Amino acid sequence: MAKLELGGRAAIVTGAASGIGRALAMEAAARGMSVGIADQDSNGLKATEQALLDRNVKVVARVIDVRAPEQVDDFAAACAEAFPSIAEVWANAGLIRWNSALKINLADWNLTFDVNLRGVVHCLASFLPLLVERNEPAQFVMTGSSASFMVAPEIAAYCASKHAVWAIAEGVKAELALANTPVQVSMLAPPRTATGLIAATLQRTREAKGDEGVQDLLNSIPTPEVIAKYAMDKAEQRDFLIMPKFEEARATVAKRFNAVMEAGG
């Protein structure tokens, strides 16, 4: 399959105020693309926008809440007007809330599903028809997680939301194949990465092991820039599953899926 042509086209990134989203925006710019960026964090988004403008990149920046479909629609319309050719859309906005399933905080669970799952659906609804209508080779990338394939205590809601992203990506892949369109879909499944999403993990590590333990943890996980470069490479190759550093999770995932296969009657 031919590689996706990027130069002179645009990449769209939600959750672009920090972390993997910001790194994706900067990596897109480094590959010669214009960039559309969105986030709820206005200060962080402004910093990403300025970093792109400093590199003479054409930018569309919008403060949006991906939970609000009309806001995502408006962002998509602005990108469609500004960019005659869109190569990639990264539905990347996400969050994590630590919360026991034995004593559920409904507000946290609802927020997790609203952002991680419905946010992806809203991006699909706003951007995928545009890509299909333009009938150019393009990649719609949803950010799942290594938690799309495994679970852990106190993050059941996060894991369930990311499992759902995988299911949606599989369904969209099948429908795009039937539609005979040059648009394809991917799911990015990053491991634990040095972003704001691990703030609670860092705090727990600090309480248990001190600052040295925190530094050891940070030294053991990839930076957003490493993830973004890998992800862009794989999206350009049009891979469906984009799974950086998956070797660390492979045994856990294999054990879980083997249990499913062995349980079948």
Side-chain angles (χ1 to χ4, degrees):
M1 183 178 300
K3 290 177 65 175
L4 189 64
E5 294 294 331
L6 305 181
R9 304 180 71 193
I12 313 302
V13 186
T14 65
S18 61
I20 292 173
R22 177 180 287 177
L24 285 168
M26 300 309 296
E27 184 66 28
R31 297 181 187 221
M33 286 190 277
S34 302
V35 187
I37 54 173
D39 203 292
Q40 192 173 19
D41 174 4
S42 59
N43 290 333
L45 188 69
K46 186 66 177 177
T48 303
E49 180 184 16
Q50 190 58 56
L52 292 166
L53 291 173
D54 288 345
R55 290 160 176 77
N56 297 315
V57 176
K58 182 177 180 179
V59 185
V60 169
R62 293 289 186 275
V63 176
I64 69 167
D65 184 343
V66 295
R67 296 175 295 175
E70 67 280 1
Q71 293 183 26
V72 183
D73 275 345
D74 289 345
F75 176 52
C79 291
E81 182 177 356
F83 306 129
S85 182
I86 295 173
E88 299 174 341
V89 175
W90 297 80
N92 172 73
L95 54 75
I96 187 169
R97 292 291 185 270
W98 290 76
N99 185 235
S100 172
L102 305 185
K103 191 175 181 181
I104 288 177
N105 180 320
L106 283 177
D108 280 351
W109 279 57
N110 288 336
L111 177 64
T112 299
F113 282 101
D114 283 347
V115 174
N116 293 356
L117 180 55
R118 291 187 179 90
V120 167
V121 173
H122 295 160
C123 288
L124 269 173
S126 297
F127 282 99
L128 193 59
L130 169 64
L131 298 180
V132 172
E133 180 182 353
R134 287 186 170 181
N135 201 36
E136 296 179 300
Q139 207 74 8
F140 188 102
V141 188
M142 312 175 195
T143 297
S145 166
S146 57
S148 295
F149 313 109
M150 55 188 184
V151 297
E154 298 188 68
I155 55 170
Y158 177 78
C159 295
S161 70
K162 295 300 187 178
H163 275 62
V165 170
W166 181 25
I168 290 172
E170 291 273 10
V172 172
K173 178 186 178 185
E175 292 194 36
L176 288 173
L178 292 173
N180 192 30
T181 170
V183 179
Q184 296 186 17
V185 66
S186 301
M187 186 185 78
L188 169 60
R192 187 162 53 183
T193 305
T195 72
L197 288 184
I198 66 165
T201 300
L202 293 178
Q203 182 58 35
R204 292 176 178 214
T205 302
R206 180 171 285 108
E207 291 170 358
K209 301 180 180 179
D211 291 342
E212 184 175 348
V214 169
Q215 193 57 55
D216 288 343
L217 173 59
L218 290 173
N219 290 340
S220 71
I221 59 179
T223 65
E225 291 74 20
V226 167
I227 298 300
K229 185 179 186 309
Y230 180 95
M232 283 273 178
D233 286 345
K234 293 298 184 179
E236 190 174 355
Q237 294 169 18
R238 316 208 74 182
D239 287 4
F240 172 61
L241 290 176
I242 302 174
M243 303 170 70
K245 306 290 184 182
F246 183 69
E247 62 276 5
E248 299 174 9
R250 191 178 304 277
T252 300
V253 173
K255 181 178 179 181
R256 184 174 182 228
F257 280 78
N258 285 340
V260 172
M261 297 300 292
E262 291 169 2

